[in-house]
């Protein structure tokens, strides 16, 4: 059974940093890209970024709203994906979801339960 | 960038109703369209990919259709478990993932 478990969320002041982790199990982690999405309270879904699997270069892409502030990385030996968030803004307050990416098919097929990030002074 | 719209924003229906949600793209997106269901307090769940392919384990009362700029998600006979918010999602190699604003299906 595919499982994705996010951790590392919390309350942080504007301008500070936070790192989310996504622990994966139930599939060969290194074979898949991983993507992060977020959902602000009461709002819709927003793509944050993704990292391709190593066979596809292990490269990353980001939404314009987070580019230059957020960094996605992966440790295939531990089956963990990370979302490093720097320079957090109040508008980054959201539930952040880790997902498994079907890279060549254009969708995500499994979602974690989400990690809440609250940016407030 | 390609924009995605959905209609209606809210749909009130009863158990057993046939329900159709429409998603429109601002440009031709061929079949690069997926549908997700989200219930309150839960993560989204993939229902349909490539416009009309049913994800494994999803009930056959869900179906997707369309191509180009207009797409539909149809629930043939609404069940109690189907009251939720539905999102369409497009992918391309430029702006990557774009979601529609969502359609909430609630009890009539």
């Amino acid at each position: 059974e595919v499982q994705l478990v996010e951790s590392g969320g919390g309350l942080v002041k504007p301008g500070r940093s936070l790192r989310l982790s996504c622990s994966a199990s139930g599939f060969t982690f290194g074979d898949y890209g991983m993507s992060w999405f977020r959902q602000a309270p009461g709002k819709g879904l927003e793509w944050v970024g993704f990292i391709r699997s190593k066979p596809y270069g292990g490269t990353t892409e980001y939404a314009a709203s987070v580019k230059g502030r957020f960094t996605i990385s992966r440790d295939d030996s531990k089956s963990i994906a990370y979302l490093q968030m720097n320079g957090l803004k109040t508008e980054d307050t959201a539930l952040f979801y880790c997902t498994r990416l079907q890279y060549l098919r254009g969708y995500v097929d499994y979602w974690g339960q989400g990690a809440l990030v609250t940016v407030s002074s | 960038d390609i924009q995605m719209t959905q209609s209606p924003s809210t749909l009130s229906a009863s158990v057993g109703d046939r329900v159709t949600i429409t998603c429109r793209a601002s440009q031709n997106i061929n079949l690069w369209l997926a549908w997700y269901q989200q219930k309150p307090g839960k993560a989204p769940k993939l229902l349909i990919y490539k416009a009309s392919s049913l994800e494994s384990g999803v009930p056959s009362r869900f179906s997707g259709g369309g191509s180009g700029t207009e797409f539909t998600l149809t629930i043939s006979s609404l069940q109690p478990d189907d009251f939720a918010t539905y999102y369409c999602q497009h992918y391309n190699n430029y702006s990557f993932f774009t979601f529609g604003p969502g359609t909430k299906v609630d009890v009539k």
Side-chain angles (χ1 to χ4, degrees), chain A residues 37 39 44-45 47 50 61 97 101 103-108 111-112, chain B residues 32 34 36 38 42-44 46 49 55 87 89 91 95-97 99:
Chain A
F37 295 84
Q39 188 168 36
L45 298 166
W47 172 65
F50 68 72
E61 305 290 349
Y97 291 104
L101 174 64
Y103 172 55
L104 294 180
R105 302 178 183 181
Y107 61 89
V108 293
W111 298 64
Chain B
W32 292 94
Y36 300 86
Q38 187 178 32
K42 300 292 186 182
L46 175 68
Y49 61 92
E55 172 68 351
Y87 294 94
Q89 171 251 303
Y91 177 89
S95 53
F96 302 104
F97 288 89
F99 287 91

Side-chain angles (χ1 to χ4, degrees), chain A residues 61-116:
Chain A
E61 305 290 349
Y62 299 96
S65 58
V66 306
K67 198 168 187 177
R69 299 189 299 125
F70 289 12
T71 302
I72 297 172
S73 59
R74 61 190 298 154
D75 185 337
D76 288 356
S77 68
K78 297 180 180 178
S79 297
I80 299 178
Y82 299 100
L83 177 62
Q84 176 68 43
M85 302 181 288
N86 298 333
L88 282 161
K89 306 175 181 180
T90 55
E91 53 264 40
D92 293 319
T93 293
L95 187 61
F96 282 75
Y97 291 104
C98 167
T99 69
R100 189 176 81 167
L101 174 64
Q102 288 287 351
Y103 172 55
L104 294 180
R105 302 178 183 181
Y107 61 89
V108 293
D109 58 358
Y110 288 93
W111 298 64
Q113 84 287 351
L116 182 62

Side-chain angles (χ1 to χ4, degrees), chain B residues 1-72:
Chain B
D1 286 0
I2 294 174
Q3 308 299 319
M4 307 299 294
T5 59
Q6 287 182 234
S7 60
S9 54
T10 304
L11 190 160
S12 297
S14 302
V15 172
D17 285 353
R18 181 180 181 87
V19 165
T20 298
I21 299 167
T22 299
C23 175
R24 290 185 175 88
S26 59
Q27 300 174 39
N28 183 358
I29 62 170
N30 296 306
L31 298 176
W32 292 94
L33 195 285
W35 290 96
Y36 300 86
Q37 175 195 65
Q38 187 178 32
K39 297 178 183 178
K42 300 292 186 182
K45 172 188 174 184
L46 175 68
L47 300 176
I48 302 283
Y49 61 92
K50 205 178 175 185
S52 62
S53 295
L54 191 68
E55 172 68 351
S56 176
V58 174
S60 58
R61 63 181 180 271
F62 291 92
S63 64
S67 64
T69 60
E70 188 161 325
F71 302 85
T72 56

